[in-house]
Amino acid sequence: DPELWEMLIKDADSGCLLLEEQPKIDRSVENKHEPSIFLTGATGHIGAHTLVSLLESEGNFSVIALVRATNPLEGEGLVMKALTSYGLMNESIEAAIKSRCTVVCGDISRTLLDLTDEEYWNVAKNCSCIVHCAAMVKHQQPYFALKNANVGGAKEVIRLSASSTPSIPLIFLSTIAVFRNWNDDVKRFYEDDDATAEVKHLKSGYTQSKWV
């Protein structure tokens, strides 16, 4: 659908606009807080495994997990339930969650991640890195049903990354499915290739939303 392809490209281009008037805070002064990693998607498959890897590492840092919940206690319970369902929970991980993981309630599909102003700017000022794992993975849904979470969520973590000077390092875990099907003749996609040429090859709403 040429109209959809045009919309995808337009949505991708619009992401650059949000940075133009982005308020910034100065993080160049010495930060006396312990290093922390802001993690999205901690209750999903990739995010849960990422959280465990972080908690099992020997680094002297804490994790701030963004979870869609009504309060932090409920959010912590959802994280533990997810880790249990993936067979990742044990006494040491439970203890690490209690001591090194702070849950903040929010939603990647909403402006400023649905955090309060105080929460948002505390994260922007104090976190050392953003690890974005959250996504709505529903392969049967159209692009429009996934846009807010997958496109909007990406824009919001980029906004957060750009909210300070210097910017916060951002690690974005996504999918290679944004490139044409591996059964096709093309097996490689180079960094300087034109990504817009791939749009017409994307068949599912999920891959379209991740491409944008």
Side-chain angles (χ1 to χ4, degrees):
D1 183 348
E3 290 186 3
L4 177 58
W5 301 341
E6 183 178 347
M7 178 179 297
L8 296 177
I9 295 171
K10 182 178 179 181
D11 285 348
D13 289 340
S14 70
C16 301
L17 302 178
L18 64 83
L19 302 180
E20 294 182 355
E21 299 181 359
Q22 172 68 28
K24 296 180 184 292
I25 59 172
D26 185 4
R27 296 194 331 141
S28 60
V29 297
E30 182 180 359
N31 191 335
K32 297 183 179 180
H33 293 270
E34 69 174 7
S36 60
I37 294 176
F38 184 76
L39 174 67
T40 70
T43 58
H45 184 268
I46 300 296
H49 283 78
T50 300
L51 175 60
V52 169
S53 294
L54 292 172
L55 295 177
E56 288 180 337
S57 68
E58 296 181 356
N60 182 28
F61 59 85
S62 61
V63 177
I64 304 170
L66 181 75
V67 180
R68 192 168 55 186
T70 56
N71 60 69
L73 185 61
E74 178 190 1
E76 183 179 288
L78 291 173
V79 170
M80 291 191 174
K81 181 179 179 181
L83 297 188
T84 300
S85 70
Y86 295 124
L88 301 172
M89 181 60 78
N90 55 47
E91 290 184 1
S92 123
I93 290 299
E94 183 174 357
I97 290 175
K98 296 290 186 182
S99 63
R100 295 177 57 197
C101 181
T102 300
V103 169
V104 292
C105 300
D107 188 334
I108 61 167
S109 68
R110 296 180 177 272
T111 303
L112 301 183
L113 303 170
D114 208 27
L115 299 174
T116 66
D117 286 346
E118 181 179 4
E119 289 172 332
Y120 187 86
W121 292 111
N122 277 340
V123 170
K125 182 178 180 180
N126 298 317
C127 88
S128 310
C129 179
I130 301 166
V131 180
H132 181 48
C133 301
M136 184 177 289
V137 185
K138 294 186 176 180
H139 295 282
Q140 304 305 316
Q141 292 291 329
Y143 170 72
F144 305 101
L146 306 174
K147 178 180 175 179
N148 285 347
N150 294 352
V151 179
K155 288 182 178 181
E156 288 305 322
V157 294
I158 293 171
R159 187 200 302 272
L160 177 60
S161 173
S163 66
S164 66
T165 305
S167 60
I168 306 167
L170 170 62
I171 299 172
F172 192 157
L173 280 72
S174 190
T175 174
I176 60 172
V178 295
F179 306 119
R180 67 186 68 183
N181 194 299
W182 294 116
N183 293 324
D184 293 345
D185 293 335
V186 177
K187 301 296 184 182
R188 295 181 181 179
F189 188 88
Y190 295 95
E191 191 172 342
D192 57 352
D193 287 347
D194 181 11
T196 59
E198 297 297 303
V199 173
K200 62 183 179 181
H201 298 285
L202 305 178
K203 305 302 182 184
S204 77
Y206 173 72
T207 54
Q208 290 163 354
S209 69
K210 298 301 285 185
W211 179 90
V212 173

